Amino acid sequence: MKMLVPIKRVLDYNVKPRIKADGAGVELTNVKMSMNPFDEIAVEEAIRLKEKGLATEVVVVSVGEVKAQETLRTALAMGADRAILVTSDRKVEPLGVAKVLRAIVDEEQPQLVILGKQAIDDDNSQTGQMLAGLLGWGQATSASHVELAGDCVTVTREIDGGLETDRYCLPAIITADLRLNEPRYASLPNIMKAKSKPLAQRSADDFGLDLSPRLETLRVVEPPARASGVKVADVDELVMKLHAMGVAK
Amino acid sequence: MKTLVWVEHDGNSVKDATLSAVTAASKLGDVHLLLVGQDVQGVAQEAAGIFGVDKVHMADDAAYAHQLVENVAPLVVQLMASHDAFVAPATTGGKAIAPRVAALLDVMQISDILSVEAQDTFTRPIYAGNAIATVRSSDVKKVVTVRTTAFEKAPREGGSGAVEAVPTSGDKGLSSFIGQEIAASNRPELTSARVIVAGGRALGSGEKFAELIEPLADRLGAGVGASRAAVDAGYVPNDSQVGQTGKIVAPEVYVAVGISGAIQHLAGMKDSKIIVAINKDEDAPIFQVADLGLVGDLFEIVPELTRKL
Ligand SMILES: Cc1cc2nc3c(=O)[nH]c(=O)nc-3n(C[C@H](O)[C@H](O)[C@H](O)COP(=O)(O)OP(=O)(O)OC[C@H]3O[C@@H](n4cnc5c(N)ncnc54)[C@H](O)[C@@H]3O)c2cc1C
């Protein structure tokens, strides 16, 4: 059984985003970029399923700029078998990415596609559900536990009120939440080995799909700043201030 | 413009998140609701009474008992033939259904909107709320999810919408419901609580969390929240997590106890009206957003505070 894991290169989660002076977006030159943390979890889950003997091959794919090669190499160093990079000079929105992924799924015929539940740059949380819709597959969103048996996958999902468990027929889509697993670090020997794993490069234009953006970003601004607060000396002062504000009279 | 609003409900009543989505939708045009479930006539009547609602499309079917998106999405797509915008609250339910519908309509969704600037223009947070983008959609139909803390709740009374049963599209056989573990609690739900007391990694254990945070929450009639670190360590269940990837809250008072204030946590609570922080590190980033900060050991401060309040 083959598994496909789409991954995205994003601003590292430890870096504080800086807005460009012209308000066109967030500064992405000369800053640390990494694999979207949720995608790392997705890669890890696929590798674990393979290690358990439940899957045969893990293929990672990224749609984006040429530099996403580095991100794919990271996934290969973690243990993925091969990679596909679909390059595009223009930003491709989740809807476009989902269309490209559907084309890749048609070619590769995976039984399971595992994605991160959201990318921490645009915070859209769309690609997995869109791909599931286009393919007409089941979608297990926000997975915190995955059990694969036969032609079904049983997934525990994080929902607003707690947890929900659902069963899906394969092929299916899973989107990974934070508590699904803790991704491994790639060891040095594996990083070396990853350099010789296959990485195919293709152009998004060659798919003959409508990838034109539907959203135009008019401007990007800082959120309203909070007025700076005060430090109180002790509990008594805190209680006094809280009472004055009408809290816990 | 005719909007179709996804009703979030628990089988008995309409959830508050729906009311915020109704307010957002009313800025776009007429408000029609879509209520999906099994034996939901009662909820449909309640929904029809929400202020500003023109019509409730009710899809009552065993296949919708657990609102599995695989079964529900085709129904929404069908109804979107006669509506111009699909509007869902950005809850885990809304976030699951909306993009699937968007893809089937060939529409690029606008997630988590903070405001409606025009019928095609919205603001939304990106990078964990560290930036706010204004985006304009060129799609003919719109699919949006709504950040519920950014819109007032529509009043539950005053509407007189008609309830109309819609033909259902049945079980697609892609998914089946196994079970739910809903954290039982007498406390207010985080997304609608007036006061929240949240604890972080510093509490050290589930026992300490319960021993310190709960009495304070009791005293304040508060909901209980947590940082990711506290949830990952198992002090409290996952539904307590506040942040970029947990719940987005904006209560009148948010008390952060032993939480450092990582950007991913701030993303979920920095729109609270009053933020109180208790932390032993005077340079903790949480103090940058706190209205009232107290530097010190929470194991001494919290019991004293609970006693004196
Ligand atoms: C992709 C991604 C998504 C994430 N999403 C979220 C999210 O949704 N929500 C979230 O919260 N986090 C999220 N995080 C994690 C986030 O980055 C932080 O790791 C987390 O918020 C830290 O939790 P904390 O503040 O409880 O722990 P810490 O950062 O360890 O802070 C503990 C604090 O307690 C203080 N302290 C220690 N002992 C005492 C004492 N005795 N008295 C008083 N103070 C004390 C310390 O000074 C410190 O400030 C995410 C991370 C990633 C990578």
Side-chain angles (χ1 to χ4, degrees):
Chain A
M1 189 190 87
K2 199 193 276 184
M3 284 177 299
L4 189 70
V5 184
I7 62 180
K8 186 177 188 186
R9 182 174 181 266
V10 298
L11 181 66
D12 186 86
Y13 81 95
N14 271 315
V15 176
K16 184 160 168 53
R18 274 210 333 273
I19 293 166
K20 288 184 195 163
D22 62 0
V26 165
E27 190 57 70
L28 294 179
T29 41
N30 297 323
V31 287
K32 186 177 177 207
M33 303 289 283
S34 306
M35 194 190 310
N36 177 39
F38 290 97
D39 302 349
E40 279 186 329
I41 298 170
V43 172
E44 176 68 32
E45 193 64 18
I47 295 169
R48 288 188 190 183
L49 290 171
K50 185 183 164 188
E51 286 170 348
K52 282 191 215 154
L54 295 169
T56 48
E57 193 185 21
V58 179
V59 181
V60 285
V61 53
S62 189
V63 180
E65 49 178 342
V66 176
K67 283 184 182 151
Q69 273 187 4
E70 292 165 20
T71 319
L72 289 165
R73 289 280 174 216
T74 306
L76 294 172
M78 287 172 72
D81 298 295
R82 66 189 163 86
I84 303 167
L85 173 62
V86 180
T87 56
S88 168
D89 304 332
R90 270 194 323 215
K91 184 170 165 162
V92 186
E93 294 169 343
L95 180 64
V97 172
K99 289 178 185 178
V100 172
L101 292 176
R102 175 177 54 179
I104 305 257
V105 166
D106 286 344
E107 292 172 14
E108 296 281 345
Q109 299 285 316
Q111 287 296 295
L112 211 49
V113 181
I114 312 182
L115 308 88
K117 81 160 179 180
Q118 77 190 72
I120 60 163
D121 49 2
D122 289 335
D123 285 331
N124 275 317
S125 199
Q126 297 175 355
T127 309
Q129 300 90 306
M130 285 183 160
L131 177 61
L134 294 178
L135 290 165
W137 292 6
Q139 59 174 64
T141 43
S142 301
S144 64
H145 186 74
V146 169
E147 240 169 83
L148 193 57
D151 25 4
C152 282
V153 61
T154 305
V155 180
T156 303
R157 305 169 41 229
E158 299 206 358
I159 59 169
D160 287 331
L163 298 169
E164 175 169 322
T165 304
D166 299 306
R167 187 171 296 144
Y168 302 84
C169 308
L170 298 181
I173 304 283
I174 294 175
T175 73
D177 213 323
L178 289 172
R179 279 167 283 279
L180 182 55
N181 60 50
E182 242 178 83
R184 69 194 67 190
Y185 290 102
S187 67
L188 197 55
N190 284 342
I191 292 172
M192 299 311 290
K193 241 174 44 197
K195 293 194 172 145
S196 55
K197 287 187 178 175
L199 191 159
Q201 191 167 322
R202 314 174 50 174
S203 164
D205 298 332
D206 296 344
F207 286 84
L209 296 163
D210 168 21
L211 303 178
S212 57
R214 311 293 180 80
L215 300 184
E216 185 192 352
T217 299
L218 303 180
R219 64 189 162 273
V220 173
V221 298
E222 302 258 357
R226 285 187 77 93
S228 57
V230 294
K231 291 235 172 79
V232 294
D234 52 25
V235 173
D236 291 327
E237 192 186 343
L238 181 58
V239 170
M240 208 183 69
K241 287 243 155 64
L242 285 173
H243 282 165
M245 287 171 163
V247 182
K249 280 169 283 238
Chain B
M1 197 184 245
K2 216 152 89 184
T3 68
L4 186 67
V5 178
W6 174 252
V7 176
E8 182 104 357
H9 67 93
D10 59 7
N12 297 312
S13 75
V14 174
K15 296 267 205 177
D16 279 353
T18 311
L19 306 175
S20 302
V22 164
T23 300
S26 68
K27 296 183 191 293
L28 289 170
D30 296 345
V31 180
H32 289 194
L33 303 184
L34 171 59
L35 175 74
V36 171
Q38 187 181 18
D39 298 330
V40 286
Q41 289 84 353
V43 189
Q45 288 308 326
E46 185 197 343
I50 296 170
F51 186 79
V53 169
D54 300 311
K55 190 183 263 185
V56 179
H57 299 276
M58 179 185 70
D60 198 324
D61 193 309
Y64 300 144
H66 301 289
Q67 303 177 31
L68 294 167
V69 295
E70 293 79 6
N71 295 342
V72 172
L75 173 74
V76 182
V77 170
Q78 199 181 303
L79 284 166
M80 282 305 290
S82 52
H83 293 83
D84 307 299
F86 181 63
V87 179
T91 54
T92 46
K95 289 197 283 195
I97 182 82
R100 191 173 177 106
V101 167
L104 292 170
L105 296 171
D106 196 30
V107 167
M108 175 58 201
Q109 173 180 315
I110 306 123
S111 293
D112 222 9
I113 61 162
L114 297 171
S115 71
V116 176
E117 302 291 308
Q119 295 217 324
D120 59 356
T121 308
F122 307 86
T123 63
R124 59 176 305 268
I126 55 175
Y127 289 89
N130 281 287
I132 309 295
T134 304
V135 295
R136 183 160 63 207
S137 160
S138 60
D139 284 312
V140 177
K141 301 215 183 229
K142 310 286 185 257
V143 175
V144 301
T145 60
V146 174
R147 174 162 292 200
T148 54
T149 53
F151 293 87
E152 294 289 327
K153 298 186 195 64
R156 283 181 182 268
E157 270 108 54
S160 52
V163 177
E164 192 174 289
V166 292
T168 59
S169 49
D171 190 344
K172 301 291 160 201
L174 293 171
S175 49
S176 50
F177 175 85
I178 307 285
Q180 263 185 357
E181 267 173 62
I182 299 296
S185 161
N186 302 324
R187 297 186 184 286
E189 262 185 62
L190 278 184
T191 46
S192 44
R194 209 179 59 82
V195 182
I196 292 174
V197 180
R201 192 197 312 268
L203 271 307
S205 69
E207 292 76 51
K208 283 286 167 204
F209 196 102
E211 194 181 309
L212 286 146
I213 299 298
E214 293 199 358
L216 180 56
D218 286 339
R219 178 63 192 90
L220 295 169
V224 170
S227 69
R228 173 188 173 187
V231 173
D232 283 358
Y235 306 167
V236 280
N238 67 284
D239 57 287
S240 324
Q241 182 176 316
V242 171
Q244 178 185 20
T245 58
K247 294 212 167 78
I248 310 288
V249 300
E252 277 165 42
V253 185
Y254 188 93
V255 185
V257 180
I259 291 178
S260 60
I263 58 170
Q264 294 87 5
H265 188 80
L266 299 184
M269 44 64 75
K270 70 177 156 60
D271 293 327
S272 306
K273 286 216 181 67
I274 300 169
I275 297 173
V276 180
I278 298 167
N279 196 302
K280 71 171 181 195
D281 172 8
E282 63 174 334
D283 295 323
I286 190 76
F287 287 125
Q288 289 164 19
V289 298
D291 302 282
L292 294 174
L294 180 50
V295 180
D297 184 357
L298 71 91
F299 293 100
E300 289 164 18
I301 291 172
V302 174
E304 186 185 343
L305 178 62
T306 307
R307 203 161 10 93
K308 289 185 173 166
L309 267 173

